[in-house]
Amino acid sequence: MDAEKRLILVLMGPPGCGKGTQAKMLTETFGIRQISTGDMLREARAADSEIGRRSSVFMDAGTMVPDEIVIDLVAMRIQNRDCAGGFILDGFPRTLAQAQALDEMLGHRKLAIGQVLFFDVPDEEIVVRITGRVSCVLCGKIYHTTFNPPPTADTCACGGYLLQRPDDNVTTVTSRLAAYRESTEPLVRYYTDKGILATIHGGGSTIEQVSGRVMERMAAITGAR
Ligand code: ADP
């Protein structure tokens, strides 16, 4: 596929803003891969790899894993053949250094971000969302015990077992929100200045309402491509 036809999306926003859920909807709609650094780091940890061991302490504390670890992970991942048609970055970049590294790795391959979708959700809602979040160990589907309840308390529609992430607790959420405010929020300005950021209001809305807003924005950019 021509480099300029590749759809490259960046999803950003506070923890629990719904970017993982919307990323899954976008992968199905556009047939492109979701690259979630959080998922990749959790997989590395489950496999007890060196990266997993080096990252665990930061993830458990709700702080950022060092830039060089995540930058290398993403740089390798996007070279994979399954990214040839484009990809969705979910949870990366999260710091200015990561954003600059991403520009550089895409620039080398004459690629560019098509759109940054920034999911804006108030802090009060974040804590409620995260502490009720569970996901399927088999298919990765995300539920909320109240707002988007699974078929049974511990089973996914696919039959897989549902688990709560160990970092989805009130204490760690507070650190994750602080890390987000300090390191990630400045990227809103970075991408606004580049003219590629769209704000999607994610607060007080259903998943379908947010998906509708995302698709409206996508229609505007894919129509213009
Ligand atoms: P959420 O967006 O809900 O906070 P993620 O699954 O994206 O959760 O990330 C979980 C944890 O993984 C983060 O708290 C952080 O420790 C680490 N992490 C994920 N992506 C990055 C990144 N791009 N840079 C640094 N750390 C990251």
Side-chain angles (χ1 to χ4, degrees), residues 21 25 35 55 68 70 73 162 205 211:
T21 301
M25 180 279 289
I35 300 178
S55 306
E68 64 275 14
V70 271
L73 266 184
L162 296 174
S205 309
S211 296

Side-chain angles (χ1 to χ4, degrees), residues 10-14 17 93-96 99 115-121 180-201:
V10 168
L11 307 194
M12 62 173 286
C17 67
R94 251 179 162 98
T95 64
L96 189 58
Q115 183 73 81
V116 177
L117 297 168
F118 164 53
F119 295 88
D120 198 10
V121 178
Y180 168 76
R181 293 274 171 253
E182 189 186 326
S183 308
T184 313
E185 214 168 48
L187 298 185
V188 172
R189 164 50 59 90
Y190 181 80
Y191 288 125
T192 301
D193 288 349
K194 288 179 182 285
I196 54 173
L197 183 128
T199 299
I200 308 286
H201 292 287

Side-chain angles (χ1 to χ4, degrees), residues 13-17 19 36-39 41-42 55-67 70-71 74 90-95 98 130 133 165 167-168 172 176 179:
C17 67
K19 55 189 187 303
S36 156
T37 42
D39 286 350
L41 291 168
R42 280 184 286 277
S55 306
S56 283
V57 56
F58 302 101
M59 296 173 77
D60 290 340
T63 56
M64 299 280 176
V65 170
D67 285 334
V70 271
I71 290 170
V74 172
D90 162 13
F92 180 93
R94 251 179 162 98
T95 64
Q98 292 178 20
I130 288 200
R133 174 162 75 174
R165 271 169 44 182
D167 59 342
D168 277 353
T172 315
R176 281 155 67 196

Side-chain angles (χ1 to χ4, degrees), residues 105-127:
M105 58 181 108
L106 294 179
H108 280 150
R109 304 167 67 198
K110 302 207 171 3
L111 297 172
I113 299 169
Q115 183 73 81
V116 177
L117 297 168
F118 164 53
F119 295 88
D120 198 10
V121 178
D123 284 8
E124 316 79 76
E125 210 175 315
I126 293 296
V127 177

Side-chain angles (χ1 to χ4, degrees), residues 9 38 61 66 84 103 113 116 137 162 166 195 215 219:
L9 301 174
D103 285 345
I113 299 169
V116 177
V137 294
L162 296 174
M215 288 312 294

Side-chain angles (χ1 to χ4, degrees), residues 1 76 80 105 145 153 160 162 169 196:
M1 184 176 282
M76 278 189 293
N80 218 300
M105 58 181 108
T145 47
L162 296 174
N169 60 70
I196 54 173

